[in-house]
Amino acid sequence: MPHFALASLDITNLYTNIPVIETRGIIANTLENKKVKPQAKKELLNWYDTITKQNYLSNKDKILIQQDGLAMGAPTSGIIAEFFLQNLENSHLTHLFNKHKIMGYFRYVDDILIIYDSRHTNINNIQNDFNTIHLNIKFTTETEANNKTNYLDITIHKTPTNWVTSVYRKPTSTDTIIPYSSNHPTQDICSHTIPPQQTKHIQPAKRGIQ
């Protein structure tokens, strides 16, 4: 395993860089392929048009409308972004996996962890190719240091024979959580149900480490 290297990639300003018109076409094709009834398809695309064309914001006492991209903080933005990103992954990643000997790929929203064969490529070449996938989508990278890399809330330590994980906390972390007895909706409170909810969003690559 010494020749396997870890790196994390981050998509820059994901939501505001999602191309709205292109993504609408992706959703329309998906609905068609899933044989969704015409009336339901029409209603869903009308819903899409409404939420992407009515993104208003204020700046210096002026009311503005967002011309492209998705609204930050809108509950629908994450769902729409997934349609676009998964289509991008299905179209381009197999080629990049083979070219760069990427043995593992894991994504949570805009945070990506990759495992690659350092004998065949390096993170700069990988980043350059990832940045050509789509004009709107650009990636920054962070490489491992001392055989360790941080991804989401874990630190992954590479040893000669396996991977060891531990909990990672940013230096600015205060470990402040909502008490379980607080008067908040159950889904907003830190409890034993949160880790499964988080992990189900990670998109693993369909290949293993040899």
Side-chain angles (χ1 to χ4, degrees):
M1 294 183 65
H3 54 278
F4 289 131
L6 293 165
S8 60
L9 293 86
D10 182 75
I11 303 174
T12 304
N13 300 325
L14 172 62
Y15 290 155
T16 54
N17 282 305
I18 296 294
V20 169
I21 296 176
E22 182 179 349
T23 304
R24 188 187 192 279
I26 292 169
I27 293 175
N29 288 337
T30 300
L31 296 173
E32 189 72 25
N33 293 336
K34 296 292 184 180
K35 302 187 185 304
V36 174
K37 293 181 178 179
Q39 182 60 32
K41 177 182 176 181
K42 180 180 178 181
E43 291 177 1
L44 287 168
L45 292 177
N46 285 341
W47 160 82
Y48 179 88
D49 292 336
T50 298
I51 64 174
T52 55
K53 292 179 180 179
Q54 297 188 15
N55 291 331
Y56 298 99
L57 59 144
S58 63
N59 181 43
K60 296 181 179 180
D61 298 324
K62 293 183 178 180
I63 303 299
L64 307 173
I65 186 168
Q66 187 172 329
Q67 296 296 320
D68 201 5
L70 304 175
M72 295 290 293
T76 53
S77 293
I79 299 170
I80 296 172
E82 275 300 312
F83 274 98
F84 175 76
L85 289 177
Q86 290 188 28
N87 179 76
L88 214 62
E89 290 169 336
N90 292 336
S91 302
H92 294 85
L93 286 193
T94 299
H95 167 67
L96 293 181
F97 287 165
N98 293 330
K99 178 178 179 180
H100 293 290
K101 306 298 181 185
I102 295 175
M103 316 307 294
Y105 173 96
F106 309 89
R107 179 174 62 83
Y108 179 79
V109 191
D110 58 352
D111 293 312
I112 299 167
L113 175 71
I114 61 171
I115 305 169
Y116 62 95
D117 192 333
S118 59
R119 298 171 300 181
H120 295 275
T121 191
N122 61 65
I123 191 58
N124 291 327
N125 291 336
I126 293 173
Q127 182 185 18
N128 289 338
D129 275 354
F130 267 70
N131 281 335
T132 64
I133 291 176
H134 194 281
L135 184 63
N136 287 33
I137 304 300
K138 300 303 176 186
F139 298 82
T140 59
T141 60
E142 182 177 341
T143 56
E144 62 183 76
N146 299 319
N147 293 322
K148 293 180 181 180
T149 191
N150 300 316
Y151 179 66
L152 301 179
D153 291 334
I154 61 173
T155 295
I156 305 171
H157 180 201
K158 182 179 67 179
T159 74
T161 58
N162 60 7
W163 313 92
V164 178
T165 61
S166 59
V167 175
Y168 170 69
R169 290 288 182 265
K170 293 182 178 180
T172 55
S173 174
T174 61
D175 287 329
T176 301
I177 62 172
I178 301 173
Y180 193 78
S181 58
S182 177
N183 187 24
H184 278 74
T186 305
Q187 62 268 25
D188 294 340
I189 300 175
C190 181
S191 71
H192 67 278
T193 62
I194 287 182
Q197 291 175 347
Q198 291 178 338
T199 55
K200 73 180 181 181
H201 293 293
I202 296 177
Q203 302 292 328
K206 294 181 179 179
R207 63 170 64 203
I209 300 173
Q210 303 296 327

